[in-house]
């Protein structure tokens, strides 16, 4: 186990179809002055392809964290969440649901599908920047996450366990 | 032949029996009189027969005794007198009266004795006669048929007396003849007497006949008188009896006639009552006027058979005319066509003061309008009964007869009762029709209202859904605008010219305001969402609301105080929002003094009345209702921020809790907001 965020910038996958939001998130990260690399995919199908290194994403880096919007074309955020959490190789990657929805049912459903946390996108920029900063602070510096090596070992163990 | 005869006899007997039975049943007194007279005649005949038999028997007995006594006397005279004196030379001769010292011969003695008796005893005669009479006897031979027959009979049967009742010399008599045999003491004398017409008499030979003629005059008269008395007695008893019987029968007849009359009256009254009841039942069980009228007409027809036709005319309340409606035993179409609609129906009814009108001869009575028609129909008398219910004249029912008829008080009463029933039925039916019409109007209005309500509810729901969806969907682009405007301000403020800075500021302010509006609109539309009501402690609600308003309260130095608050049934989140909005308003709208808010609740009837009293700026009472309308604001937003949705949300929450909300205020003297929640 390795303390993250010391040797390399964090890999973050942002699943978001709205370019405005993508940019806003980028800007928020920039404003927060965080050293992280943000990869972006526009729909749920691409998100899974990215995570599984399929198609054009064969060389994609394994993300340390996924920021997932719920309202996505082709495959919804909740479906992506379900697929990832079913996948032995992927489910250890923390998923932060970042949605404009404040609806109770979206929140509940997300946690039922084992989302690691649910954040309602603030309408106010200042608040959004604060949220992004706190995400960074919490997930990338405060908590301990499994390393890639640990990941592989765990995956192998889980498979043999089956 | 015999069968035919028997049959004929049987028929005759039967017809006689029938006749008698009819007589006895129908003419009791004459029949009884006849029977009695017959009985008296038979009894009289029987008595008279019996009495004549008795008379005859008595006379026979008496006469035979007389006869015997006279025979005995003659025999005794002969043996004890004649035989003893003759040897002493006493002459025995028939002419003894003329001869001194002589005595009569037995026959003469008997004859003389008979004469003597006859002289003393009127109606009795004793005769002796013979086939061989002595010549000196003037009437010694048989004088008539009876005497000749007696001689002949007695010669043949000397021991049997020969008698006969017959008219003798114009009066009823018993003639009793006995044989006079030749005795031993007599033979010698008779055979030796010089004047004897027969000289070879032997002892035992029948010498002659002794006859006693007994008059029955006296006895018969006596008997007849007795019979007459008896007859008179019987007859008078009979007359008395028949008279009494007649009286009794007459009385019974009268009683039974009265009884019959009374029973008939009872039956009639009962039938009428039953008819009235039936009509009553029909009039309460059906609202079909025609059916009731038909039943009524049928009943009147049936119970008062002399009624030849009946008509019903009803008042048209719009035109005031009497219109023909129904009739019986008349061609309805013709009747309706012929009967002029009386244009003065109501006037005429009122004129008659709702009394029945009887017209003996309608064909010539000026009161009947259609006398021509009545003449053609052969209708003569009529009784017109007004139809009145609840003091409302409804029309008339008229009963016609074909012969002149004076309706009795009884009939008028019954027909009036019929009319009253009919009026009730008509009244009910008319009332029902009116009510039905009114009801259908109300129903239509209700249906429309219901439809409108449903549509309103649907459009409300759609509106709420729209508000929710739009406010939700509006959030996204708004967030973009807000975020990038803010980003712009953050990155480029002071780096462009002052105009650009102002523009950016306006944009940011506008966006923030719009965010507030949309946020509140979303809240407002969410109030409609259905949640289950549960008991909610209002103290906790207040605490939560105050907590949520912590910064505003602290910032303004407000004081929120509360009296004891109840537990009510409601939606906790919404109640928190309600309290929060009301307290928030109170805190917000203040002048320079520190805001004070007093929260109270009191029970009144079936509800709790909550009040939120503040010492703020208040408002003109005329705005008391307007402030609850969405987006309505009383104050410039530069001074008091807000979207104008807060009180609209309050109103919606209260109404969702089946309560009312209102406010009382005066400018500068604070405001009090009230709302109710069912206890």
């Amino acid at each position: 186990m390795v303390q993250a965020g010391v040797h390399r910038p964090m890999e973050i996958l942002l699943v978001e179809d709205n370019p405005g939001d993508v940019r806003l998130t980028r800007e928020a990260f920039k404003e927060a002055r965080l050293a992280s690399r943000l990869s972006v995919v526009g729909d749920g199908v691409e998100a899974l392809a990215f995570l599984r290194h399929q198609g054009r994403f064969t060389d994609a880096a394994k993300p340390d964290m996924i920021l997932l919007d719920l309202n996505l074309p082709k495959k919804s955020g909740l479906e992506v969440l379900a697929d990832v959490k079913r996948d032995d190789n992927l489910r250890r990657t923390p998923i932060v649901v970042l949605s404009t929805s404040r609806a109770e049912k979206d929140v509940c459903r997300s946690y039922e599908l084992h989302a690691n946390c649910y954040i309602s996108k603030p309408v106010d920029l200042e608040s959004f920047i604060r949220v992004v900063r706190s995400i960074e602070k919490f997930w990338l510096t405060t908590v301990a996450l499994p390393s890639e090596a640990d990941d592989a070992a765990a995956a192998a163990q889980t498979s043999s366990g089956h | 032949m015999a069968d035919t005869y028997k049959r004929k006899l049987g028929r005759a007997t039967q017809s006689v029996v029938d006749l008698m039975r009819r007589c006895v049943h129908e003419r009791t007194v004459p029949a009884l009189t006849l029977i009695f007279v017959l009985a008296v005649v038979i009894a009289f005949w029987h008595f008279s027969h019996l009495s004549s038999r008795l008379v005859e028997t008595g006379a026979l007995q008496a006469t035979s005794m007389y006869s015997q006594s006279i025979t005995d006397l003659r025999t005794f005279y002969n043996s004890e007198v004649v035989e003893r004196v003759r040897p002493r030379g006493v002459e025995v001769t028939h002419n003894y009266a003329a001869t001194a010292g002589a005595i009569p011969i037995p026959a003469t003695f008997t004859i003389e004795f008979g004469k003597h008796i006859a002289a003393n005893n009127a109606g009795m005669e004793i005769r002796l006669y013979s086939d061989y009479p002595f010549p000196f006897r003037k009437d010694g031979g048989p004088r008539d048929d009876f005497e000749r027959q007696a001689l002949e009979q007695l010669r043949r049967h000397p021991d049997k007396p020969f008698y006969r009742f017959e008219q003798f010399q114009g009066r009823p008599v018993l003639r009793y003849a006995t044989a006079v045999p030749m005795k031993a003491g007599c033979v010698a004398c008779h055979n030796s007497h010089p004047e004897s017409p027969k000289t070879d008499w032997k002892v035992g030979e029948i010498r002659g006949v002794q006859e006693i003629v007994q008059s029955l005059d006296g006895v018969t008269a006596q008997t007849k008188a007795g019979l007459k008395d008896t007859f008179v007695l019987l007859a008078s008893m009979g007359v008395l009896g028949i008279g009494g019987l007649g009286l009794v029968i007459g009385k019974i007849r009268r009683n039974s006639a009265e009884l019959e009359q009374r029973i008939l009256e009872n039956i009639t009254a009962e039938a009428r009552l039953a008819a009235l009841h039936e009509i009553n039942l029909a009039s309460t069980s059906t609202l079909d006027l025609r059916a009731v009228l038909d039943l009524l007409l049928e009943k009147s027809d049936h119970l008062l058979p002399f009624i030849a036709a009946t008509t019903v005319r009803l008042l048209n309340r719009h035109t005031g005319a009497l219109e023909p409606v129904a009739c019986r035993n008349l061609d309805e179409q013709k009747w309706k066509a012929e009967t002029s609609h009386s244009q003065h129906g109501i006037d005429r009814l009122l004129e008659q003061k709702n009394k029945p009108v009887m017209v003996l001869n309608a064909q010539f009575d000026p009161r009947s309008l259609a006398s021509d028609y009545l003449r053609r129909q052969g209708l003569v008398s009529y009784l017109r009964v007004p139809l009145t219910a609840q003091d409302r004249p409804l029309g008339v029912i008229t009963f016609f007869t074909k012969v002149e008829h004076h309706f009795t008080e009884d009939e008028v009463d019954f027909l009036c009762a019929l009319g009253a029933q009919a009026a009730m039925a008509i009244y009910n039916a008319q009332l029902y029709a009116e009510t039905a019409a009114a009801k259908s109007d109300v129903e239509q209005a209700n249906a429309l209202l219901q439809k409108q309500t449903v549509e309103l509810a649907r459009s409300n729901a759609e509106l709420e859904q729209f508000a929710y969806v739009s406010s939700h969907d509006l959030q996204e682009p708004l967030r973009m605008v807000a975020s990038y405007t803010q980003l712009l301000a953050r990155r480029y403020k002071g780096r462009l010219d002052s105009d650009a800075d102002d523009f950016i500021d306006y944009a940011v302010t506008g966006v923030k305001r719009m965010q507030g509006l949309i946020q509140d609109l979303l809240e407002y539309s969410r109030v409609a969402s259905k949640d289950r009501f549960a008991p909610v402690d209002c103290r906790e609600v207040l605490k939560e609301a105050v907590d949520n308003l912590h910064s505003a309260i602290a910032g303004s130095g407000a004081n929120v105080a509360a009296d004891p608050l109840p537990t009510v049934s409601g939606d906790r989140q919404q109640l928190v929002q309600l309290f929060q909005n009301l307290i928030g308003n109170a805190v917000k709208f203040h002048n320079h003094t520190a805001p004070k808010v007093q929260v109270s609740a009191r029970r009144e009837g079936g509800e709790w009345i909550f009040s939120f009293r503040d010492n703020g700026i208040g408002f003109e009472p005329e705005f008391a209702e307007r402030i609850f309308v969405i987006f309505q604001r009383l104050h410039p937003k530069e001074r008091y921020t807000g979207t104008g949705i807060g009180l609209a949300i309050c109103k919606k929450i209260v109404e969702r809790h089946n309560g009312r909300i209102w406010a009382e205020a005066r400018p500068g003297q604070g405001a009090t907001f009230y709302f109710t929640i069912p206890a």
Side-chain angles (χ1 to χ4, degrees):
Chain A
M1 198 185 281
V2 179
Q3 185 68 40
V6 180
H7 305 293
R8 57 174 178 92
M10 286 284 119
E11 289 289 341
I12 295 172
L13 173 64
L14 173 65
V15 188
E16 172 65 71
D17 66 322
N18 183 356
D21 264 314
V22 172
R23 180 64 191 271
L24 197 62
T25 310
R26 278 192 194 286
E27 293 303 326
F29 270 88
K30 203 187 279 173
E31 288 290 321
R33 300 177 206 288
L34 295 172
S36 51
R37 272 182 55 191
L38 201 62
S39 308
V40 178
V41 290
D43 61 58
V45 175
E46 280 200 340
L48 287 171
F50 182 97
L51 290 171
R52 288 170 180 151
H53 310 290
Q54 292 164 345
R56 61 186 175 97
F57 301 112
T58 40
D59 299 327
K62 177 182 162 42
D64 295 306
M65 186 180 63
I66 304 166
L67 289 177
L68 181 66
D69 187 20
L70 290 183
N71 188 18
L72 293 172
K74 294 187 185 171
K75 201 161 198 170
S76 80
L78 289 173
E79 284 173 290
V80 174
L81 182 61
D83 283 356
V84 169
K85 289 302 176 183
R86 262 203 300 271
D87 192 320
D88 290 338
N89 292 317
L90 304 177
R91 66 161 157 242
R92 273 179 304 280
T93 308
I95 295 182
V96 173
V97 176
L98 196 60
S99 170
T100 51
S101 169
R102 287 163 189 271
E104 192 86 345
K105 72 169 201 278
D106 286 341
V107 178
C108 289
R109 190 79 193 116
S110 299
Y111 282 111
E112 276 166 23
L113 293 171
H114 309 292
N116 296 77
C117 79
Y118 188 102
I119 293 172
S120 195
K121 270 185 215 169
V123 277
D124 187 68
L125 180 70
E126 294 294 339
S127 313
F128 189 50
I129 292 168
R130 266 204 304 279
V131 164
V132 168
R133 201 177 280 149
S134 65
I135 290 171
E136 171 90 19
K137 193 169 177 339
F138 183 73
W139 285 105
L140 305 183
T141 63
T142 310
V143 302
L145 292 169
S147 68
E148 258 181 80
D150 291 340
D151 264 5
Q157 202 173 22
T158 314
S159 324
S160 64
H162 282 290
Chain B
M1 279 299 278
D3 277 0
T4 319
Y5 176 72
K6 261 189 201 165
R7 238 179 286 137
K8 271 184 184 167
L9 190 73
R11 268 210 297 275
T13 313
Q14 189 59 45
S15 60
V16 166
V17 167
D18 283 352
L19 185 73
M20 280 172 68
R21 191 178 293 152
R22 262 212 309 283
C23 282
V24 168
H25 280 167
E26 289 163 19
R27 298 264 180 274
T28 316
V29 174
L32 275 177
T33 311
L34 187 72
I35 289 168
F36 179 78
V37 167
L38 268 174
V40 167
V41 166
I42 289 168
F44 188 72
W45 175 80
H46 179 70
F47 280 144
S48 115
H49 187 69
L50 195 68
S51 63
S52 65
R53 284 268 304 280
L54 276 172
V55 166
E56 283 174 4
T57 312
L60 199 61
Q61 269 179 0
T63 309
S64 79
M65 264 173 69
Y66 265 127
S67 180
Q68 189 59 46
S69 305
I70 287 165
T71 306
D72 285 353
L73 179 68
R74 194 180 64 235
T75 313
F76 181 77
Y77 173 75
N78 188 42
S79 59
E80 298 301 319
V81 179
V82 175
E83 293 299 329
R84 289 175 75 146
V85 296
R86 204 163 40 194
R88 300 207 185 153
V90 177
E91 192 181 354
V92 180
T93 174
H94 70 280
N95 199 9
Y96 68 96
T99 316
I103 58 168
I105 59 172
T108 306
F109 176 80
T110 306
I111 290 164
E112 291 305 318
F113 182 65
K115 277 178 185 161
H116 175 76
I117 286 173
N120 291 337
N121 188 356
M124 187 159 171
E125 197 184 326
I126 298 166
R127 250 175 65 78
L128 284 176
Y129 48 85
S130 166
D131 289 331
Y132 307 98
F134 284 103
F136 50 81
R137 297 226 196 277
K138 287 188 184 104
D139 48 359
R143 291 182 304 189
D144 58 10
D145 233 27
F146 176 84
E147 291 177 358
R148 273 187 289 279
Q149 279 178 25
L151 279 169
E152 197 184 325
Q153 279 291 324
L154 288 170
R155 202 175 297 122
R156 261 183 277 162
H157 310 287
D159 300 333
K160 229 171 126 187
F162 178 77
Y163 61 91
R164 190 193 284 173
F165 293 92
E166 61 175 35
Q167 289 295 115
F168 182 67
Q169 292 169 355
R171 50 196 186 128
V173 293
L174 168 62
R175 299 177 76 174
Y176 189 87
T178 44
V180 179
M182 191 56 78
K183 302 271 175 59
C186 303
V187 174
C189 191
H190 274 271
N191 281 342
S192 60
H193 199 286
E195 287 182 73
S196 180
K198 180 175 154 86
T199 50
D200 56 345
W201 291 102
K202 292 178 190 89
V203 172
E205 205 173 346
I206 298 303
R207 160 78 184 91
V209 167
Q210 174 186 294
E211 179 188 336
I212 294 176
V213 179
Q214 175 69 53
S215 167
L216 299 176
D217 261 359
V219 186
T220 306
Q222 222 174 329
T223 311
K224 270 186 181 162
L227 267 177
K228 198 176 148 197
D229 289 351
T230 310
F231 180 72
V232 167
L233 195 69
L234 271 176
S236 44
M237 270 170 63
V239 166
L240 275 175
I242 284 178
L245 263 177
L247 279 175
V248 170
I249 286 170
K251 178 80 180 154
I252 288 172
R253 279 255 171 87
R254 268 198 306 283
N255 280 353
S256 73
E258 261 172 40
L259 208 62
E260 248 171 51
Q261 178 67 23
R262 220 169 290 163
I263 287 169
L264 206 67
E265 276 168 13
N266 275 351
I267 287 171
T268 313
E270 242 170 65
R272 286 174 182 179
L273 264 181
L276 285 177
H277 180 65
E278 203 176 322
I279 291 165
N280 187 18
L281 219 66
S283 64
T284 48
S285 64
T286 174
L287 289 163
D288 181 1
L289 181 57
R290 189 74 215 192
V292 176
L293 285 182
D294 280 350
L295 180 68
L296 177 111
L297 296 178
E298 185 201 313
K299 288 293 164 191
S300 63
D301 210 27
H302 181 65
L303 288 172
L304 300 171
F306 55 84
I307 288 175
T310 314
T311 64
V312 176
R313 283 176 295 159
L314 293 182
L315 203 62
N316 183 325
R317 276 196 289 136
H318 301 297
T319 63
L322 271 179
E323 291 175 357
V325 173
C327 65
R328 191 164 173 85
N329 294 341
L330 289 173
D331 185 321
E332 186 158 332
Q333 284 191 341
K334 273 189 190 163
W335 169 64
K336 282 184 174 173
E338 294 260 1
T339 311
S340 53
H341 288 212
S342 170
Q343 289 306 315
H344 310 292
I346 186 118
D347 300 343
R348 293 186 69 206
L349 281 182
L350 290 178
E351 247 170 56
Q352 290 152 12
K353 295 191 177 68
N354 289 327
K355 292 272 189 302
V357 172
M358 193 200 305
V359 171
L360 269 184
N361 196 329
Q363 299 181 355
F364 300 103
D365 193 284
R367 280 176 292 183
S368 41
L369 294 173
S371 45
D372 267 354
Y373 174 70
L374 297 181
R375 250 197 297 281
R376 278 202 303 282
Q377 296 295 323
L379 300 174
V380 181
S381 302
Y382 70 73
L383 180 77
R384 189 167 64 216
V385 175
L387 299 170
T388 313
Q390 312 280 328
D391 288 334
R392 199 164 101 178
L394 301 172
V396 291
I397 181 165
T398 313
F399 303 95
F400 293 94
T401 65
K402 289 217 162 180
V403 290
E404 197 166 296
H405 178 83
H406 189 280
F407 289 85
T408 65
E409 206 176 316
D410 237 26
E411 289 161 4
V412 172
D413 282 352
F414 172 61
L415 292 173
C416 282
L418 265 187
Q421 288 290 1
M424 220 43 235
I426 292 162
Y427 180 76
N428 283 344
Q430 286 183 348
L431 206 62
Y432 177 74
E434 282 167 19
T435 314
K439 197 175 153 200
S440 110
D441 283 354
V442 170
E443 271 170 2
Q444 275 176 7
N446 268 348
L448 193 66
L449 202 64
Q450 207 166 357
K451 205 174 143 195
Q452 283 172 346
T453 308
V454 167
E455 267 175 22
L456 202 64
R458 193 170 53 79
S459 89
N460 264 353
E462 274 174 8
L463 209 62
E464 274 162 9
Q465 184 63 20
F466 173 75
Y468 177 78
V469 169
S470 55
S471 55
H472 182 263
D473 288 354
L474 283 174
Q475 295 251 46
E476 273 302 309
L478 184 61
R479 200 170 48 80
M480 285 295 111
V481 173
S483 299
Y484 281 103
T485 323
Q486 285 169 8
L487 195 59
L488 211 60
R490 201 182 165 93
R491 296 245 177 108
Y492 298 101
K493 189 133 186 193
R495 291 168 66 182
L496 304 169
D497 59 13
S498 64
D499 276 354
D501 284 354
D502 281 351
F503 297 164
I504 290 170
D505 276 351
Y506 287 136
V508 168
T509 313
V511 165
K512 275 194 174 163
R513 182 164 155 61
M514 187 156 180
Q515 280 175 342
L517 273 171
I518 287 177
Q519 201 59 43
D520 284 356
L521 200 58
L522 204 57
E523 290 294 341
Y524 180 79
S525 62
R526 272 182 188 158
V527 172
S529 62
K530 293 271 175 194
D531 289 310
R532 289 256 173 83
F533 280 11
V536 181
D537 185 346
C538 289
R539 288 173 305 181
E540 288 173 18
V541 170
L542 180 71
K543 188 172 177 295
E544 197 174 332
V546 169
D547 283 351
N548 290 347
L549 292 167
H550 176 73
S551 60
I553 290 171
S556 62
N559 173 28
V560 179
D563 296 332
L565 297 176
T567 294
V568 298
S569 171
D571 180 321
R572 186 192 165 95
Q573 267 322 107
Q574 291 182 2
L575 289 179
V576 169
Q577 173 125 44
L578 173 65
F579 275 51
Q580 194 175 317
N581 284 7
L582 290 175
I583 295 169
N585 271 358
V587 169
K588 183 163 69 177
F589 295 103
H590 70 96
N591 246 334
H592 307 292
T593 50
K596 279 173 77 177
V597 188
Q598 182 67 39
V599 182
S600 311
R602 67 170 198 275
R603 179 82 182 259
E604 202 161 279
E607 57 190 14
W608 288 101
I609 300 180
F610 288 81
S611 63
F612 290 70
R613 188 158 47 83
D614 66 50
N615 59 345
I617 57 171
F619 52 86
E620 294 284 350
E622 61 192 276
F623 298 124
E625 286 186 22
R626 204 171 145 188
I627 53 172
F628 293 103
V629 179
I630 194 164
F631 298 137
Q632 289 291 332
R633 294 173 51 88
L634 295 182
H635 308 287
K637 50 179 169 281
E638 290 78 24
R639 210 160 148 203
Y640 298 104
T641 57
T643 57
I645 294 179
L647 284 175
I649 290 175
C650 288
K651 186 168 193 275
K652 207 169 170 189
I653 290 172
V654 168
E655 283 173 355
R656 231 199 117 231
H657 284 77
N658 298 316
R660 291 163 288 123
I661 188 166
W662 70 99
E664 290 170 359
R666 282 186 171 279
Q669 293 178 20
T672 308
F673 284 84
Y674 299 94
F675 67 85
T676 65
I677 285 187

